[in-house]
Each structure stands twice: as C-alpha cells, then as structure tokens.
Amino acid sequence: MATSTQRNSDQAAATEAHGSPKPCPNCHETRSRAIYSVDSIPAHSVLLMPTQDAATKYPRGDMRLSFCEACGFLANSAFDVTLNEYSPDYEETQHFSARFNRFADELVADLVERFGMRNKRVLEIGCGKAEFLRRLCEAGDNFGIGVDPSIRPERFSAEARSKMQFVSELYSEEHSDLKADVILCRHTLEHIQPTREFLDVVRRSIGDRRDVQVCFELPDVRIVLEETRFWDVYYEHCSYFSAGSLARLFREASFDVVDLWRAYDDQYLLLVAEPTERPTQAALPIEDDLAEMSALASAFETHSQKQIAHWRDTIGTFHREGRKPVLWGAGSKCVAFLTTAGLEHEVEVVVDINPYKAGKFLPATGHPVISPEQLKGYEPGVVVVMNSIYLDEVQKQLDQLGIDAEVVGT
Ligand SMILES: [Zn+2]
C-alpha cells in the first residue's frame, strides 16, 4: 500500500505566496489564503476497485485548501477536473443505512408538505442512484428526471421507472431543454469547482420563469473546520461551503434564498431558492458568517496537523496492542482518514453495509472491504465509526452479530 505525505500549512502558504493567487471560483475575487495541504491523495474515494493492484495504482492529486476572505468559500486550488471519473462503478449510495433513510424520508416529507413539491416535474442534477428522487416522486406524486452518469436504472422496479426518466450524463448547458418545476441538486455542488459558472447554467435553464423552486443540499464546512475533521477534506470535494458562502453564490446568480438550514447533526446544508430578475441581498441571519468562517479557517490551519498525528498514534496503538482496529464505513471519509494519516497495515480491513461494496478495494490504500457478517470471523477489538451519526446503528449491528468490540467515534 502506498502512502501520501503531508506538508505543513506553513510550507503550503509559502508556495501559495510565490505563485500568483487564483481567483476564487465562487466570487472571482483574488483574496484567498492557503490553510491546509496534503500531497498525493486518490482522485476518487467512493469509486471502489475490483482488485488491490488496480486500487493502489489509482490516479492521485494534491489538496491545497484555500479560504476566500471575500466570500468565505473554500476550494482545492490544485484541483484537476481531468482526474474525475464518474461512472456506474461510482458507489455513493447511503440508502442501506436506517439512520440515513430516516433523514431522507423526513426531508422528502418536508419538501412535499412545507414547500408544496407535489404533482411537479422534478429534475435532479447529479441524482446518483436516484433513490432520493424515487422517494420524492412516490411521496408527492411527482415525475422525476434524473441526470447522472452513475445512474443504475436496473435497480428500480418497472413501476418506479414509469415515474422517472434518466439521462446518464454529466449535467451541462446541453440539458437546459429538460424543463422542470423543481430543480434538485444534492451532494453535487461540492464536486464542481467553477461553482459560479455552474449556477449560471442552472439559472439560464430557468429563463424567465418565476415559478421554479431550486433545492440544493451539500456538506456544511463549518463543522468540518470547527471539529478539525480532516477526513472530510478529500479530492472529490473540490468546493466547500458554509451557509453564508452558499447564500452569497445564489444571490449573486439571481436567486432569492427562501430558506436555508442545517440538518443531519449539522453536517448538511439545505437551501431552497427561487429565480429572480437580478441579484438579491442577504436577508437571513444564518448568512452572516464571514467573520466566523475566517476565524474557523485559521483554527483549522492551526489544529489540523495535531489532529492527524492524534489519529495516526491512536490507530497505531490499537494495532500494536493487537486489538485489530477496523474502520466502519468504506466511503470518502475512510479513504481520506487512511491516506491523510498515512495508515496502512495498522488497519487490515474496512467494513460497509452496502452489499455492492463488499469484495472490492479502497482506491489508493487497497484495503479490502468486507460486509458486517464477514466481520464476525475477523474478531476485531476496536471498531472506529467514520461518521459518529451512525454510532448507535453500528453498536446495534455489532450486538446482533455477537461481536464484542469497543466502538469509537471520530
Ligand atoms: Zn470568494
């Protein structure tokens, strides 16, 4: 297994100082400062590999996280879009978790009841496996149009497919003829770097209509910075938003932000907006976060290397004590955790409840992914849960399997 090397942020800042600063992809100002840097991390982290050899040879890129003082946006200034590879092998779905499904059902009910998304044409940009779109179509008697290269229509029943249409491509200006009453975009904007250009494409597709609702959901970077969650900073996510930077982007692109709130233990941001003729002014208290975000970016810069060292030592100690630590959740957080902390043999396997992941290998590190049932024979002493929101769910599953291990949250 290969490792990545970390450079401290002083070096990153020095490098940035010698080059000319890039304009912010969100607001086009050149007032960004480097706060965090990791070399040679896998370009994708949820694209699972069929063999260990293919996994360790997976393309890599660098992370140079910079904070824009003008709009509060964070971006990987070293991001190279040509390393992207979104295909049906991209296994991002979280819908095998009861906890996640409860959240999805509550959000669907909210969108149908509170925002009246009923009997509408719903276009979802970056719909993934379209599981959420299917739920929204069923609950609100909507018709769904899902656009995503990783779509797998064969996973749906004929009845579900009768309420949906799929376009197996990356969304672009060419899809502006796909007219809809609701434009949904969940966990996609953070994978796009020219965020302003992308939102302009969405706005142009709406044209003169005013009765269109736009709903975006994405990770909130605030908690990532606040709790120094370095495992939430990885190559696939080239763009990082707070409530304020997200609202500023929408307002500049001629939308009114109708509502903006946090969900999923403050991990996600949800925004509902409507098109306007011209840019709009900030109106919600949650948008006023620029000074707070600047302070949090500095705190992350100060604490990140200490946090990385803490986890490297903790997992290393578990391993040396013969406690066979395993990570639970073979997603992006897990790949970032292992590659950033430089962990290899200290962890032998990672576990995931998504049956499509078992038998595959993590990109870059080559760790094999096993199912919870397979974990029984492995007899781990410690299970590190990559997202603490699943702690109860994981403990329950371990109890059912009769696995007596210490459960640790990140
Ligand atoms: Zn900016």
Side-chain angles (χ1 to χ4, degrees):
M1 295 180 216
T3 60
S4 65
T5 52
Q6 291 83 41
R7 299 185 326 152
N8 68 36
S9 44
D10 290 339
Q11 285 173 297
T15 308
E16 196 82 1
H18 291 301
S20 52
K22 284 183 179 177
C24 167
N26 207 50
C27 74
H28 299 160
E29 297 262 347
T30 44
R31 288 175 54 198
S32 295
R33 59 181 165 102
I35 63 159
Y36 175 73
S37 176
V38 194
D39 284 350
S40 190
I41 53 174
H44 273 292
S45 32
V46 294
L47 193 68
L48 290 164
M49 310 306 292
T51 65
Q52 202 158 39
D53 188 50
T56 52
K57 287 178 180 156
Y58 199 75
R60 290 159 180 263
D62 297 331
M63 169 61 68
R64 300 283 178 269
L65 192 65
S66 64
F67 174 76
C68 172
E69 295 286 357
C71 77
F73 179 70
L74 291 104
N76 177 7
S77 60
F79 181 68
D80 176 4
V81 70
T82 62
L83 293 176
N84 268 357
E85 184 187 351
Y86 292 104
S87 72
D89 291 332
Y90 189 82
E91 195 55 60
E92 77 291 88
T93 188
Q94 294 166 288
H95 284 278
F96 292 99
S97 157
R99 176 68 185 84
F100 186 83
N101 284 336
R102 200 162 70 237
F103 162 71
D105 284 340
E106 283 165 8
L107 179 58
V108 162
D110 203 23
L111 295 179
V112 172
E113 301 303 328
R114 190 153 66 100
F115 294 98
M117 294 182 189
R118 194 180 275 113
N119 299 312
K120 307 275 190 190
R121 275 173 73 84
V122 181
L123 167 70
E124 185 172 6
I125 299 170
C127 64
K129 301 291 177 277
E131 185 54 35
F132 187 86
L133 185 61
R134 180 186 68 78
R135 285 166 192 248
L136 187 59
C137 289
E138 279 176 7
D141 208 12
N142 296 305
F143 182 82
I145 307 160
V147 183
D148 199 306
S150 85
I151 190 83
R152 292 258 192 172
E154 72 276 12
R155 290 190 190 174
F156 289 118
S157 68
E159 202 208 330
R161 282 204 299 265
S162 71
K163 286 183 175 174
M164 293 193 282
Q165 168 193 338
F166 298 115
V167 182
S168 183
E169 295 166 10
L170 279 172
Y171 185 82
S172 70
E173 195 100 48
E174 288 165 27
H175 301 105
S176 55
D177 57 330
L178 295 170
K179 297 298 177 200
D181 310 302
V182 176
I183 299 176
L184 193 62
C185 187
R186 302 177 58 251
H187 298 275
T188 296
L189 191 61
E190 67 273 25
H191 298 254
I192 294 167
Q193 181 117 115
T195 48
R196 178 59 199 270
E197 280 76 1
F198 174 76
L199 207 60
D200 285 342
V201 169
V202 174
R203 181 62 192 87
R204 281 198 294 274
S205 77
I206 298 170
D208 294 333
R209 279 185 69 177
R210 290 290 175 271
D211 57 345
V212 175
Q213 287 170 304
V214 176
C215 176
F216 274 58
E217 180 188 321
L218 55 157
D220 187 351
V221 75
R222 193 186 65 148
I223 198 164
V224 176
L225 301 179
E226 212 167 49
E227 301 192 355
T228 327
R229 297 184 179 182
F230 67 85
W231 51 89
D232 275 326
V233 179
Y234 42 87
Y235 204 81
E236 275 184 28
H237 285 183
C238 51
S239 297
Y240 297 80
F241 285 94
S242 68
S245 58
L246 185 65
R248 284 185 275 283
L249 170 67
F250 273 79
R251 292 193 181 285
E252 279 296 312
S254 295
F255 284 96
D256 184 31
V257 180
V258 176
D259 206 348
L260 176 56
W261 70 101
R262 296 192 177 93
Y264 214 54
D265 278 2
D266 290 345
Q267 293 185 33
Y268 298 162
L269 283 171
L270 277 139
L271 172 144
V272 174
E274 288 170 0
T276 52
E277 212 172 302
R278 52 183 66 87
T280 58
Q281 296 295 316
L284 306 171
I286 195 174
E287 298 176 52
D288 181 19
D289 68 358
L290 199 50
E292 184 198 6
M293 287 305 299
S294 181
L296 285 174
S298 299
F300 189 85
E301 184 177 10
T302 306
H303 302 309
S304 54
Q305 297 307 319
K306 217 183 301 170
Q307 175 81 314
I308 292 165
H310 162 74
W311 278 107
R312 189 189 298 127
D313 294 347
T314 302
I315 303 291
T317 302
F318 288 151
H319 169 68
R320 276 193 306 281
E321 291 172 352
R323 299 182 69 197
K324 296 166 77 177
V326 299
L327 304 189
W328 187 290
S332 300
K333 292 173 197 293
C334 176
V335 174
F337 187 86
L338 291 168
T339 52
T340 306
L343 291 163
E344 303 176 340
H345 64 280
E346 294 88 344
V347 175
E348 290 179 323
V349 292
V350 300
V351 188
D352 205 284
I353 55 170
N354 179 343
Y356 297 109
K357 291 188 177 184
K360 304 273 178 51
F361 299 86
L362 291 187
T365 70
H367 284 89
V369 184
I370 63 170
S371 67
E373 289 71 29
Q374 290 171 306
L375 187 62
K376 212 174 163 177
Y378 184 77
E379 296 184 1
V382 184
V383 174
V384 181
V385 181
M386 289 316 307
N387 189 340
S388 294
I389 202 166
Y390 300 124
L391 275 174
D392 289 348
E393 184 171 298
V394 172
Q395 183 67 65
K396 215 174 287 173
Q397 277 177 292
L398 291 172
D399 291 346
Q400 280 165 4
L401 291 162
I403 297 173
D404 183 22
E406 183 188 348
V407 179
V408 176
T410 47

